[in-house]
């Protein structure tokens, strides 16, 4: 897909790394909102087998599930591999963790705790914005030690995705795209 002219909206890549599907569904929702706002958005996995070319898009959103307080290596590797292209177009980053699933007071602490590799990613590509969402946490997703740690933190399994917040973030991107492209 060639980059767009301003009149027909921006071409936006929503690239994501997801282990159990909740980040994939968030990426699809973000792409849907961007499309609805008049842009052309593709949600694509970055799972090693697929390596979408950011150079073919006007702007890029990259998202990753958080594992062990880090972005998945597929997503951080994607950003590093494409840092030149990502560094010279508007980019937004989102992370999907489990802060909303935790008991108080950890919940509010964790909701402000960005993944450990986010400062390095930010330095590499200077994103326009970043956001941390909660995803879905299911019993079968965590290994036994992870389950024990989750329970020790007062965790409850469930789907904690706040679709209103996710859509509002996507709508803000849609709104800011023309200005971000011009910058
Ligand atoms: C092995 C494992 C480790 C995780 N570690 C963290 C973590 O350190 N911090 C966090 O906020 N969430 C953590 N989570 C929760 C996931 O980020 C959350 O369930 C998210 O929705 C997963 O996205 P996905 O369904 O796209 O894989 C972990 C999940 C798994 C399976």
């Amino acid at each position: 897909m060639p980059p767009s002219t301003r009149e027909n909206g921006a071409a936006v890549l929503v690239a994501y790394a997801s282990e159990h599907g909740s980040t994939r569904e968030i990426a699809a929702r973000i792409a849907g909102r961007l499309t609805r706002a008049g842009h052309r958005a593709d949600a694509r996995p970055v799972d090693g087998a697929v390596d979408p070319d950011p150079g073919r898009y006007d702007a890029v959103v990259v998202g990753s599930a958080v594992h062990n307080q880090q972005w998945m290596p597929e997503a951080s590797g994607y950003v590093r591999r494409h840092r030149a292209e990502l560094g010279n177009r508007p980019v937004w980053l989102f992370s999907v963790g489990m802060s909303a699933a935790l008991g108080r007071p950890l919940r509010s602490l964790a909701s402000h705790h960005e993944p450990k590799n986010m400062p390095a990613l930010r330095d590499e590509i200077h994103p326009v914005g970043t956001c941390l969402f909660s995803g879905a946490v299911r019993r079968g997703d965590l290994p036994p030690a992870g389950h024990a740690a989750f329970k020790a933190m007062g965790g409850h399994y469930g789907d904690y995705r706040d679709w209103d917040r996710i859509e509002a973030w996507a709508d803000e991107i849609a709104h800011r795209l023309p200005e971000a492209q011009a910058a």
Side-chain angles (χ1 to χ4, degrees):
M1 187 196 319
S4 313
T5 62
R6 210 54 64 71
E7 289 71 37
N8 59 5
V12 188
L13 170 65
V14 184
Y16 63 88
S18 176
E19 177 86 31
H20 296 107
S22 53
T23 308
R24 170 170 43 77
E25 291 168 1
I26 291 172
R29 183 69 65 98
I30 291 170
R33 293 299 285 195
L34 293 171
T35 302
R36 195 184 134 143
H39 302 293
R40 292 180 291 118
D42 293 333
R44 296 274 183 268
V46 289
D47 55 11
V50 187
D51 192 35
D53 177 5
R56 300 181 65 196
Y57 293 87
D58 299 308
V60 182
V61 180
V62 188
S64 177
V66 180
H67 278 191
N68 306 318
Q69 300 183 47
Q70 310 253 22
W71 263 28
M72 290 177 63
E74 291 84 349
S76 48
Y78 180 80
V79 169
R80 298 224 162 83
R81 208 162 47 251
H82 294 287
R83 62 180 171 273
E85 299 279 24
L86 293 173
N88 61 28
R89 52 190 25 81
V91 175
W92 284 262
L93 305 178
F94 70 94
S95 308
V96 182
M98 62 182 184
S99 59
L102 303 179
R104 289 183 200 176
L106 276 179
R107 190 185 311 159
S108 88
L109 209 65
S111 69
H112 302 291
H113 188 73
E114 64 177 13
K116 281 182 182 166
N117 44 1
M118 188 53 65
L121 295 173
R122 196 181 276 121
D123 280 354
E124 301 234 37
I125 55 165
H126 307 289
V128 180
T130 64
C131 199
L132 174 61
F133 299 118
S134 286
V137 198
R138 299 185 182 90
R139 173 69 182 93
D141 295 349
L142 297 175
H147 168 73
F150 183 65
K151 286 290 154 187
M153 291 186 288
H156 288 93
Y157 292 108
D159 186 343
Y160 294 90
R161 287 172 291 184
D162 180 343
W163 293 111
D164 288 345
R165 189 167 163 248
I166 290 163
E167 290 184 353
W169 191 68
D171 292 349
E172 190 193 327
I173 293 174
H175 182 69
R176 292 188 64 185
L177 266 169
E179 161 211 334
Q181 278 182 270

